Amino acid sequence: PRRQAVLDAIRQTGVKAHTFEVGIFGPERDEILRQARCVINIPFYESARFEQVRVSHCLSLGVPVVSIRYPHTQPPSAYEPCVFWVGPNEVEDFFSGVFQTEAFDRLAQAKLAAFRQTNGQESFEQLLAFALFADAEKERERTSATWTPQLINLSPGTEYKLGWLNIDPDPQGLAD
């Protein structure tokens, strides 16, 4: 309902806003995107998480992006100059004013040029550093957390005991 309200506000300004009921991917999706004057990014989750993949894909195709910015939305700084940021209460003003002017096209070209100048290396380096750190932590846990049983259950049969080392000579038994 929250996302639909934004689309309704856009349509009330006389601007055509299209949505698709099913997922469209690959060349078919990209062709549709290239025909758009812009893509409106409305965060799906209440947390207002910035949809970086969606936005970067559109910008890489040369399609300007207008993104609704809720108080909790925190995009990477590289996206600040590349996207039209509109508050949830500013949608009608933006689409009835800025969007329907020639100035929008000039601003959109400047934002797309800013995106082409961005360098994702810093974000990638941060992601890689985090992944390497997380992997090292998991490896440390795997090597230092060798389980040593304190109790042994011989021939558990149908009586498997949690926390015990269960040993059963019967291959069909419940042995560890």
Side-chain angles (χ1 to χ4, degrees):
R2 177 181 48 77
R3 296 171 88 199
Q4 189 60 52
V6 172
L7 293 171
D8 290 343
I10 293 169
R11 290 178 179 127
Q12 286 176 4
T13 69
V15 172
K16 294 178 185 177
H18 300 283
T19 60
F20 300 94
E21 295 298 321
V22 296
I24 299 173
F25 303 98
E28 182 182 9
R29 173 208 49 215
D30 293 352
E31 183 56 34
I32 292 169
L33 288 173
R34 285 186 187 101
Q35 293 175 27
R37 187 162 182 220
C38 77
V39 167
I40 180 80
N41 179 52
I42 309 168
F44 182 80
Y45 296 102
E46 290 291 330
S47 65
R49 184 177 196 160
F50 179 65
E51 302 281 353
Q52 185 172 338
V53 173
R54 176 189 305 150
V55 171
S56 64
H57 185 77
C58 294
L59 293 172
S60 71
L61 291 172
V63 181
V65 174
V66 177
S67 188
I68 304 302
R69 187 174 205 151
Y70 294 96
H72 302 307
T73 305
Q74 296 181 355
S77 60
Y79 286 88
E80 292 293 344
C82 307
V83 173
F84 288 93
W85 299 101
V86 179
N89 298 324
E90 302 167 341
V91 174
E92 286 186 54
D93 289 342
F94 180 84
F95 280 92
S96 63
V98 177
F99 183 74
Q100 297 196 43
T101 67
E102 290 180 17
F104 173 82
D105 295 324
R106 287 191 304 277
L107 290 168
Q109 290 308 311
K111 290 183 179 297
L112 292 169
F115 178 74
R116 288 189 294 272
Q117 298 300 314
T118 61
N119 180 350
Q121 184 172 341
E122 181 181 333
S123 295
F124 181 74
E125 287 172 351
Q126 292 172 356
L127 176 63
L128 182 59
F130 176 77
L132 291 171
F133 171 78
D135 184 59
E137 284 295 303
K138 284 291 184 190
E139 182 61 28
R140 186 184 60 77
E141 289 174 13
R142 282 190 294 270
T143 57
S144 66
T146 303
W147 178 61
T148 305
Q150 301 300 310
L151 301 165
I152 297 176
N153 178 19
L154 298 173
S155 299
T158 59
E159 198 174 329
Y160 185 89
K161 295 184 179 181
L162 289 175
W164 293 47
L165 175 59
N166 294 276
I167 300 173
D168 195 328
D170 180 0
Q172 303 302 317
L174 300 173
D176 291 316

